[in-house]
Amino acid sequence: MIDTVKNAQENPDTKQPFLELGLKEDEYLKIKQILNRRPTSAELAMYSVMWSEHCSYKSSKVHLKQFGEKIVKSDVLMVGIGENAGVVDIGDGWVATFKVESHNHPSYIEPYQGAATGVGGIVRDILSMGARPIAVMDSLRFGPLSEPDTKRVLPGIVAGVGGYGNCLGLPNIGGETQFDPSYLGNPLVNALCVGVMKHEDIHLAKATGVGNKVILYGARTGGDGIGGVSVLASETFATTGQAKRPSVQVGDPFTEKLLIEATLEMFKNKLVEGIQDLGGAGISCATSELASNGTGGMNVALDLVPLRDETLSPEEILMSESQERMCAIVKPENIAAFMQICDKWEIIATVIGEVTDGNKLVITWHKEVIVEVPPRTVAHDGPVYNRALKRPINQDLLQKDSINISDKSNSLETDLLKLLASDGISDKSWITQQYDHFVRGNTIMSSPQDSGMIRIDEKTNRGLALSLDGNARFCKLDPYVGAQLAISEAYRNVSVTGAKPIALTNCLNFGSPEDPAVMWQFSETVKALADGAVSFSIPVTGGNVSFYNQTGEISILPTPVIGVLGVIEDVRKRIPLRYKENQTLYLLGETKKELDGSSWAWFIHNHLGGKPPQVNIENEKKLSKLIQTSLKAKVIFAAHDLSEGGLSVALTEMALASGIGLEVSNNTSVDDLSFLFSESSARAVVSIEEDKLPGFKELFKIYPGIEIGKTGGSSFKFIDHFEIELSKLKQSHSGTLSKVLV
Amino acid sequence: MGRVIVDVTLKSEILDPQGQAVLRALQSQGLKQVADVRQGKTFEITFEGAINKEVLDQVEALASEVLSNPVIENFVIRSYEKES
């Protein structure tokens, strides 16, 4: 029997499965208080998904509000946090919107579909801002490569990211892949999408105008991921927790492609008043958010929703996470034109309701009212928790456990070869080769370059650069410093290509918010990001939080992943990774003895302790300014940022990419080990042509650099220490993934 | 020689984009009365020697661990031919 509002009023004492749906007792009582009666089962379904951690941000809200309070002076921010994705001005009348989202838990259960639908979801987020999606990136984290489960999860996830993006016709322009034991039972899949549009085309998700129609279009609704949002993303994953497994969401990139083209055509013809993609929490989320962001009232006839499975109950339809669906608000006079476009693109579109002048979201099932709620209470006024946070007692011990360099007796050569072959540092071509980098024909740079770069205007050659970075080991040692180092790295990666960083987004992956130690890591991270954005003068345009990333009691390393977007006026002036023969190599920035938390400490000595390298935001900005200033006279030929593995890895990557050797000597004041492996921030290595040297040295007024060597030959020569042939470096660097993954 | 046939299909609640594409193709060919299409795959496994319970148990294990993805697919051991 259908549980109508009338029934709920008449039978107030019916027992309801709120606990099973993930609601706490007091949350259930709050719903009763809001409605002044018990919720119907459909209302309970809506509240439970919308009040889940994943949708309501109930544990993170109190921290995230700093992004609104610590105002970044920015003249490019056009739409801030809160919409589907923030929007920034990128010049010449263009704006860009970009965002990262996690799809961690679904990707563990069904790697291919989990990752594929992660890409699909973030693409629809960008689309619903009115922008044409132009590129994707992905940040992946797995357990050690040697573990059997990594061999199950990694190939599926990579194939899913590639399969969906390639079929959709979006280039994958970069990202990162990391390995750590803490991700073994909980891999991370963070997908980024960037889109562009003209100023006048920005669209916001809201339902205004009484009498306007609510149209659901795209794929039919099936049983996909029911309870996925509330159960999966909001509760700890027990290894035995198979009972709650919802049916897996399956993506269909070809339908998504039609959805993109149809939606952009609707925007172009000004046929939509408001639009929202259907992601987690499906129709519950779309209707309540559209209604509460608009004038407030909406009627929806749920029985009109086209179904793939006729046996679905109204509760299931409300919670279904079937992919490739969108919801639009359309004026009655535009319906015919709207339907014509859907028809042209072979997309099912159905009028399922209309905007009303009340302040209630009313949903009916065969004319019986099953939901009657103030939409704001579903979408925005969920519970807010001020969770306990506590710096872990062993944090001090961890920070005191600095690595002792003197008793490390390996030769520098052995260390370098071992480091290059480690899963974290090794060549990721096995992964990136599965992605189409060049579809749409505007990709200027993609992996293994520091940033992805896309041309957005073929007449002016204006372009965008994007980087996605995070170093969870640094965050474990000091979450505040680690988060700012992540911004620093992404900022630097964008900068070294010649682009000017203008905006940042984030995806925060953490363990259980009910663990005070995790909550402490989270609060430090958010504080660091809000402060960092102010110091870097680049606004945070959006973000995503993923909690409950743990297996049993073991949380993942705190893993904030930072995306930075930059603008380059002319992509032809970009600075690549590859150098030519007979150029002079300079190291920009100061190298300190900072080996704690480094890749060298972890991969060579299995040591994680001490304090991460210092953050120096002013230096990062100076480095960025130096590179931008250099563009005019084109004095820098090639550049590479220094991060994981330090100078030795950066030089190896440049040499292998160029197919040309190099020789360097330690002209710094630090020891040879630190020279090669320290991960001090605000550094880059650049190569300069002979005739550009005077012009280049002028730039030292902005930021200092020292000469370290020359390019040429066929080996990596560290004078007085070692000489390794490039072929040997390549063997170490490129064999790791392909040896394990077939 | 004996033969065992294993049919692997997507679970009924799982979206089948390939089946949907075939459905549209059939309808566009004029077969308007076709309501749904779901596709899957078939494995024909030939054994040396007779098919006995032990072999079938092995096939059952193989079907759930290797031939199908238990998260999204079902399988049926459809038929087998005894040694001829």
Side-chain angles (χ1 to χ4, degrees):
Chain A
M1 199 189 88
I2 299 301
D3 187 20
T4 60
V5 169
K6 196 159 156 266
N7 188 40
Q9 279 160 339
E10 286 165 2
N11 302 294
D13 300 324
T14 307
K15 267 205 148 348
Q16 295 189 286
F18 61 90
L19 287 174
E20 288 77 357
L21 286 165
L23 285 168
K24 301 274 189 287
E25 175 117 36
D26 53 337
E27 294 172 345
Y28 179 64
L29 291 176
K30 194 179 164 196
I31 297 169
K32 279 183 153 176
Q33 208 183 341
I34 289 168
L35 299 176
N36 221 354
R37 59 173 163 81
R38 77 159 170 89
T40 64
S41 55
E43 287 165 343
L44 186 64
M46 284 182 86
Y47 278 106
S48 73
V49 284
M50 291 301 290
W51 285 14
S52 67
E53 187 66 61
H54 184 78
C55 291
S56 73
Y57 290 72
K58 59 189 169 192
S59 303
S60 52
K61 236 178 203 171
V62 293
H63 300 284
L64 299 176
K65 66 172 194 257
Q66 290 174 63
F67 290 131
E69 291 163 356
K70 296 178 181 169
I71 306 292
V72 179
K73 273 215 317 219
S74 164
D75 39 15
V76 299
L77 186 65
M78 304 189 68
V79 177
I81 291 184
E83 290 300 331
N84 284 318
V87 178
V88 283
D89 187 345
I90 51 172
D92 284 354
W94 288 98
V95 298
T97 178
F98 73 129
K99 198 178 174 189
V100 196
E101 263 189 5
S102 61
H103 225 218
N104 306 338
H105 298 110
S107 301
Y108 177 68
I109 295 183
E110 178 16 61
Y112 185 98
Q113 295 297 345
T117 53
V119 175
I122 193 67
V123 168
R124 283 194 301 285
D125 255 356
I126 297 305
L127 177 63
S128 57
M129 296 303 293
R132 173 177 282 283
I134 55 166
V136 294
M137 290 176 108
D138 58 300
S139 166
L140 310 176
R141 282 175 169 74
F142 303 103
L145 206 48
S146 52
E147 293 285 342
D149 201 51
T150 302
K151 286 173 210 144
R152 169 187 76 94
V153 167
L154 188 151
I157 286 175
V158 170
V161 170
Y164 202 95
N166 295 355
C167 291
L168 196 53
L170 285 177
N172 186 314
I173 57 170
E176 48 160 12
T177 308
Q178 297 292 338
F179 300 86
D180 185 86
S182 71
Y183 306 118
L184 182 55
N186 200 313
L188 302 186
V189 176
N190 293 178
L192 175 148
C193 180
V194 58
V196 292
M197 61 189 142
K198 290 290 195 172
H199 277 202
E200 57 274 20
D201 295 331
I202 300 174
H203 281 78
L204 304 181
K206 57 182 179 181
T208 48
V210 174
N212 286 345
K213 301 296 180 191
V214 180
I215 302 183
L216 183 67
Y217 67 106
R220 286 173 184 273
T221 299
D224 307 58
I226 287 175
V229 160
S230 63
V231 178
L232 267 187
S234 302
E235 276 188 39
T236 307
F237 230 108
T239 36
T240 53
Q242 306 251 320
K244 278 185 176 173
R245 195 156 71 189
S247 66
V248 169
Q249 313 151 31
V250 173
D252 178 0
F254 299 106
T255 299
E256 179 113 330
K257 174 66 177 169
L258 298 175
L259 207 55
I260 293 174
E261 298 307 327
T263 304
L264 291 174
E265 195 171 326
M266 291 162 196
F267 285 138
K268 199 173 150 210
N269 294 312
K270 304 196 186 317
L271 297 178
V272 289
E273 307 305 306
I275 201 153
Q276 172 89 51
D277 63 303
L278 272 69
I283 295 176
S284 296
C285 180
T287 54
S288 62
E289 285 196 350
L290 279 167
S292 62
N293 295 348
T295 39
M298 185 186 280
N299 283 352
V300 171
L302 201 61
D303 47 286
L304 298 180
V305 171
L307 300 180
R308 204 170 74 226
D309 173 359
E310 294 297 332
T311 64
L312 289 181
S313 68
E315 294 82 6
E316 289 173 315
I317 297 169
L318 282 169
M319 293 167 89
S320 162
E321 295 183 2
S322 288
Q323 300 292 300
E324 292 93 23
R325 297 180 300 161
M326 304 273 283
C327 195
I329 305 298
V330 182
K331 284 183 182 165
E333 61 266 33
N334 289 332
I335 300 276
F338 184 100
M339 292 299 179
Q340 208 175 3
I341 291 173
C342 289
D343 208 38
K344 171 181 160 189
W345 294 101
E346 297 182 354
I347 283 176
I348 302 168
T350 317
V351 175
I352 59 164
E354 66 176 30
V355 179
T356 62
D357 57 0
N359 57 3
K360 291 278 175 69
L361 170 61
V362 178
I363 299 179
T364 56
W365 180 253
H366 297 290
K367 300 215 162 63
E368 294 202 84
V369 177
I370 56 168
V371 172
E372 188 174 2
V373 295
R376 243 202 108 71
T377 64
V378 180
H380 299 297
D381 299 339
V384 174
Y385 290 130
N386 218 330
R387 302 261 192 210
L389 45 97
K390 190 166 183 286
R391 189 173 192 267
I393 4 170
N394 58 6
Q395 195 73 25
D396 284 333
L397 281 176
L398 186 67
Q399 292 196 344
K400 278 193 193 120
D401 180 25
S402 183
I403 190 161
N404 185 352
I405 298 172
S406 56
D407 64 357
K408 307 299 179 215
S409 57
N410 291 346
S411 77
L412 295 172
E413 180 178 354
T414 313
D415 279 3
L416 176 56
L417 290 171
K418 197 173 164 194
L419 189 58
L420 290 174
S422 66
D423 49 16
I425 299 290
S426 70
D427 179 20
K428 303 299 185 306
S429 308
W430 188 91
I431 292 169
T432 55
Q433 272 173 0
Q434 299 187 42
Y435 303 152
D436 188 335
H437 301 176
F438 298 110
V439 61
R440 292 184 60 78
N442 276 321
T443 303
I444 306 298
M445 288 178 158
S446 61
S447 45
Q449 305 277 356
D450 285 309
S451 296
M453 190 182 285
I454 289 276
R455 179 173 51 203
I456 55 161
D457 192 324
E458 286 159 38
K459 288 192 200 84
T460 63
N461 284 302
R462 181 172 288 270
L464 290 181
L466 272 159
S467 183
L468 200 51
D469 293 289
N471 186 322
R473 283 193 303 274
F474 290 162
C475 295
K476 172 79 177 173
L477 298 181
D478 187 330
Y480 188 94
V481 172
Q484 292 204 337
L485 284 170
I487 311 182
S488 301
E489 188 186 341
Y491 184 96
R492 197 182 321 129
N493 273 327
V494 165
S495 297
V496 295
T497 64
K500 181 182 182 209
I502 60 162
L504 78 89
T505 190
N506 60 76
C507 190
L508 310 176
N509 307 276
F510 286 81
S512 167
E514 293 160 47
D515 176 346
V518 169
M519 218 46 218
W520 172 77
Q521 293 171 334
F522 182 78
S523 76
E524 288 291 299
T525 301
V526 175
K527 209 190 309 166
L529 296 181
D531 293 346
V534 173
S535 307
F536 274 107
S537 307
I538 53 173
V540 180
T541 62
N544 174 245
V545 177
S546 174
F547 277 130
Y548 296 101
N549 290 292
Q550 58 185 78
T551 315
E553 293 290 298
I554 313 290
S555 293
I556 59 161
L557 294 177
T559 313
V561 172
I562 305 298
V564 167
L565 176 94
V567 175
I568 182 161
E569 279 176 21
D570 185 344
V571 294
R572 292 170 301 182
K573 292 192 172 155
R574 72 190 177 275
I575 302 174
L577 184 67
R578 296 178 182 90
Y579 54 65
K580 293 228 163 98
E581 301 226 19
N582 298 319
Q583 298 183 337
T584 310
L585 291 166
Y586 278 84
L587 175 59
L588 301 174
E590 191 193 342
T591 305
K592 297 178 197 144
K593 204 168 164 175
E594 292 180 311
L595 287 160
D596 282 332
S598 69
S599 297
W600 175 82
W602 177 250
F603 291 114
I604 308 296
H605 300 291
N606 204 18
H607 182 275
L608 178 59
K611 286 187 178 165
Q614 283 175 351
V615 177
N616 195 324
I617 295 175
E618 285 316 306
N619 282 352
E620 300 286 357
K621 286 160 88 171
K622 285 178 191 162
L623 173 60
S624 181
K625 191 174 170 210
L626 179 150
I627 289 167
Q628 279 159 49
T629 312
S630 80
L631 293 185
K632 209 170 161 197
K634 283 186 107 20
V635 290
I636 297 178
F637 189 88
H640 194 13
D641 120 283
L642 263 59
S643 55
E644 277 147 77
L647 180 68
S648 63
V649 169
L651 289 174
T652 305
E653 286 172 351
M654 284 179 100
L656 291 179
S658 312
I660 297 166
L662 54 85
E663 60 172 51
V664 293
S665 49
N666 181 1
N667 298 338
T668 68
S669 55
V670 295
D671 59 282
D672 294 328
L673 190 71
S674 299
F675 176 69
L676 289 182
F677 301 113
S678 162
E679 296 185 10
S680 296
S681 63
R683 295 184 305 154
V685 58
V686 294
S687 85
I688 314 293
E689 292 162 287
E690 194 65 41
D691 60 331
K692 299 284 171 63
L693 283 171
F696 173 69
K697 285 176 185 166
E698 286 285 301
L699 299 173
F700 291 158
K701 281 185 297 202
I702 303 172
Y703 196 57
I706 48 162
E707 187 183 329
I708 52 167
K710 284 233 173 286
T711 65
S714 64
S715 62
F716 181 154
K717 188 171 176 189
F718 182 23
I719 294 168
D720 296 334
H721 293 281
F722 62 70
E723 182 169 3
I724 313 173
E725 283 300 311
L726 292 192
S727 55
K728 197 171 171 191
L729 286 172
K730 189 171 179 168
Q731 206 179 8
S732 294
H733 190 46
S734 63
T736 309
L737 262 61
S738 52
K739 231 179 277 166
V740 177
L741 307 162
V742 184
Chain B
M1 303 282 262
R3 190 157 54 158
V4 177
I5 296 175
V6 182
D7 287 331
V8 178
T9 50
L10 288 166
K11 290 180 179 170
S12 61
E13 68 273 22
I14 298 286
L15 174 67
D16 176 9
Q18 199 178 336
Q20 296 285 303
V22 175
L23 171 69
R24 281 196 296 275
L26 293 180
Q27 288 177 335
S28 74
Q29 294 296 306
L31 280 166
K32 300 285 182 205
Q33 67 272 37
V34 179
D36 197 12
V37 176
R38 295 187 67 80
Q39 51 78 46
K41 55 195 163 193
T42 297
F43 297 89
E44 293 185 7
I45 308 165
T46 309
F47 288 85
E48 289 176 7
I51 305 294
N52 51 32
K53 174 141 190 330
E54 193 190 344
V55 169
L56 283 175
D57 286 348
Q58 279 175 347
V59 171
E60 173 106 23
L62 193 73
S64 70
E65 284 163 22
V66 182
L67 303 182
S68 73
N69 175 352
V71 179
I72 57 173
E73 291 172 327
N74 289 328
F75 67 88
V76 187
I77 297 176
R78 182 154 54 97
S79 70
Y80 58 91
E81 293 158 27
K82 291 223 161 64
E83 192 169 19
S84 54

